[in-house]
Amino acid sequence: MDVEAQVLRAVAATGADYEVVEIDPALADTAAFCAHYGYDLAASGNCILVASRDEPPVLAACVALATTRLDVNKRVRKLLGVRKLSFAPAELTREVTGMEIGGVTPFALPPDTPLYLDARIRDLDRVIVGGGSRRLKLLVAPEALAAVGGEFVTDLAVDL
């Protein structure tokens, strides 16, 4: 089964309301997407896979709002208990999630991958996140992210 179908099944299984937004894959990167389709950066979540430099790497997925920067070197590193942490390269992201950068979503992640959510997301009515590919976005209630195992974390990201 393709990753988009897995993602849509996972978001539907949360029971939360959601909307599928089909987009031009060339506009999947958050700033371009928001500018073209009229979505607010402050309600747009970037799902980012992070990886330690250990072998095998310790992995986690993190969702931060587009108006913030994920605090990889302090907050996320401490959550994972590792010495060195960075954004996972595109190849590792694809290998682990089956998703391309620009389409990574909190839905249908491998079950052993922790999911951390910036606590500011909890205060939104809805947040738009990747849909598993560069041609889909999902507009979801924050509860849907928690329903797939997401943990809200204070100070996961810092303001830009």
Side-chain angles (χ1 to χ4, degrees), residues 32-54:
F33 164 78
C34 288
H36 185 80
Y37 292 98
Y39 285 88
D40 186 354
L41 283 170
S44 299
N46 291 320
C47 186
I48 302 161
L49 190 71
V50 294
S52 72
R53 303 235 175 109
D54 304 315

Side-chain angles (χ1 to χ4, degrees), residues 108-146:
L109 290 169
D112 59 343
T113 304
L115 174 61
Y116 299 115
L117 313 165
D118 186 73
R120 287 173 265 217
I121 293 169
R122 186 177 32 216
D123 298 331
L124 300 173
D125 290 329
R126 300 199 303 170
V127 62
I128 193 144
V129 296
S133 76
R134 290 183 61 86
R135 64 173 212 91
L136 293 182
K137 297 283 185 185
L138 298 170
L139 189 57
V140 300
E143 304 83 64
L145 303 174

Side-chain angles (χ1 to χ4, degrees), residues 14-148:
T14 69
D17 286 338
Y18 69 95
E19 182 180 333
V20 177
V21 180
E22 292 190 35
I23 65 167
D24 178 343
L27 298 171
D29 294 327
T30 304
F33 164 78
C34 288
H36 185 80
Y37 292 98
Y39 285 88
D40 186 354
L41 283 170
S44 299
N46 291 320
C47 186
I48 302 161
L49 190 71
V50 294
S52 72
R53 303 235 175 109
D54 304 315
E55 279 304 324
V58 175
L59 303 170
C62 300
V63 181
L65 295 174
T67 53
T68 66
R69 178 179 47 80
L70 191 61
D71 189 359
V72 175
N73 293 319
K74 291 185 183 140
R75 190 70 171 112
V76 182
R77 186 179 59 78
K78 287 179 184 169
L79 280 169
L80 292 177
V82 297
R83 276 183 357 103
K84 299 257 185 187
L85 187 70
S86 60
F87 296 139
E91 183 178 299
L92 181 60
T93 298
R94 194 172 30 257
E95 178 185 317
V96 170
T97 67
M99 303 172 208
E100 300 291 327
I101 303 290
V104 178
T105 186
F107 301 98
L109 290 169
D112 59 343
T113 304
L115 174 61
Y116 299 115
L117 313 165
D118 186 73
R120 287 173 265 217
I121 293 169
R122 186 177 32 216
D123 298 331
L124 300 173
D125 290 329
R126 300 199 303 170
V127 62
I128 193 144
V129 296
S133 76
R134 290 183 61 86
R135 64 173 212 91
L136 293 182
K137 297 283 185 185
L138 298 170
L139 189 57
V140 300
E143 304 83 64
L145 303 174
V148 293

